[in-house]
Structures are given as structure tokens and as C-alpha cells.
Amino acid sequence: MGRTRTYQWEDPAILAEAAGSMSGIDFLRELQKGRLPAPPIGTTLDMALDEVEPGRVVFSLTPGEEHYNPIGSVHGGVFATLLDSAAGCAVQSTLPQGMAYTSLDLTVKFLRRITVDTGTVRAVGTVVSSSRQTALAQAQLFDATDRLLAHATSSCLLFPVPAPRS
């Protein structure tokens, strides 16, 4: 008999509207406290936003079989998504109301294999530099003993949030 996993998510338009109506750090803190619904990707992968401060965020994920690739370890895309979220949200935590970001690139270095036996992993994202139109962030993925599992850098484009349609 096969294994199954069921989950549900809220309308992502709720988050998009909220993101444009408050500063990046306030938005992330509302997400962290559960006053805004989790983004669909967070629900899909079952990752959590654990820490938020200006220029730094921490996400966590406990690997499960549903994250596996065909050779019995966590798929690199799961690592990359976690690292992309940490780097991007670190940038978001520095943005004023009315500004948003999007990832321009993501460079990931996979250093160790992850399985269910690895236990919970943490992605720590920090802003390296920021200007008016771009930001550079990095993210590191650690296990419970602070072993570095992967590292990423991301360039982000900063832009004004489009005005809501009437």
C-alpha cells in the first residue's frame, strides 16, 4: 500500500495584498505569528518561519520521505526552495511598505546528503548588501549539530508594489 499526504492552503492573494500594505518585517512577523496564512509553498513542503529580525530570518523543515528523490535522499529542489525562501525573506525583512522583491538568481552549493535521519534542518538567511534596486543575500542550511549542509547566494530585484486595481 502506498503512502499518502494531504494538506490544504489558503488563497495566496490574501498574502499578496497583505505584503503590499505593511513593511516587510511586519509582514513576516504576522506570518510567523500565524495572523496571516502560510504561503502555499510553506504548506506544500511543511516548512516553518521560526525567526525574523531586520536582515535575518530562519526557516526550518523536518525532512520526510515525501521530500525524497529517486535515490533515497532529500531532493536538491527542497534544499534550494528552503534556501531561496531564507535569502529572499531576509531581504524582505529590510523593505519598507510599498516595496517588494523577486529573486533574480540563486546559486546553491550542496555539501551533504539529507535524509529523514538528519532530523530538522534550519536555513538561516542574511542580507549581505542592499542598494536602491538590488540586494544580495546568502543562506546557509544547518542540521541540529550546526553542521553546514548547503549554502546559497541570491541576487534580488527591488521594486515598488503595483497599486491595487480598482
Side-chain angles (χ1 to χ4, degrees), residues 90-148:
V91 169
Q92 186 173 16
S93 73
T94 66
L95 298 179
Q97 180 179 343
M99 289 296 289
Y101 79 94
T102 190
S103 299
L104 291 171
D105 62 31
L106 181 72
T107 302
V108 179
K109 302 295 182 194
F110 303 105
L111 305 174
R112 297 185 184 275
R113 180 175 186 251
I114 296 176
T115 68
V116 295
D117 295 330
T118 304
T120 300
V121 297
R122 294 175 297 110
V124 179
T126 55
V127 174
V128 175
S129 70
S130 186
S131 68
R132 204 171 47 81
Q133 293 184 314
T134 60
L136 176 65
Q138 68 174 356
Q140 295 177 300
L141 189 64
F142 299 99
D143 67 10
T145 64
D146 287 332
R147 261 188 334 167
L148 185 62

Side-chain angles (χ1 to χ4, degrees), residues 18-47:
S21 69
M22 60 184 78
S23 70
I25 193 143
D26 289 342
F27 174 75
L28 292 169
R29 287 178 174 157
E30 291 296 298
L31 273 174
Q32 181 189 24
K33 292 174 183 171
R35 291 194 276 245
L36 287 172
I41 190 64
T43 304
T44 300
L45 292 181
D46 198 21
M47 60 188 203

Side-chain angles (χ1 to χ4, degrees), residues 27-88:
F27 174 75
L28 292 169
R29 287 178 174 157
E30 291 296 298
L31 273 174
Q32 181 189 24
K33 292 174 183 171
R35 291 194 276 245
L36 287 172
I41 190 64
T43 304
T44 300
L45 292 181
D46 198 21
M47 60 188 203
L49 177 57
D50 297 327
E51 298 176 33
V52 177
E53 57 189 75
R56 183 180 179 277
V57 301
V58 178
F59 281 88
S60 65
L61 178 143
T62 301
E65 289 179 338
E66 68 274 15
H67 300 124
Y68 274 21
N69 60 27
I71 59 172
S73 60
V74 173
H75 190 282
V78 174
F79 284 54
T81 301
L82 197 56
L83 292 164
D84 183 55
S85 297

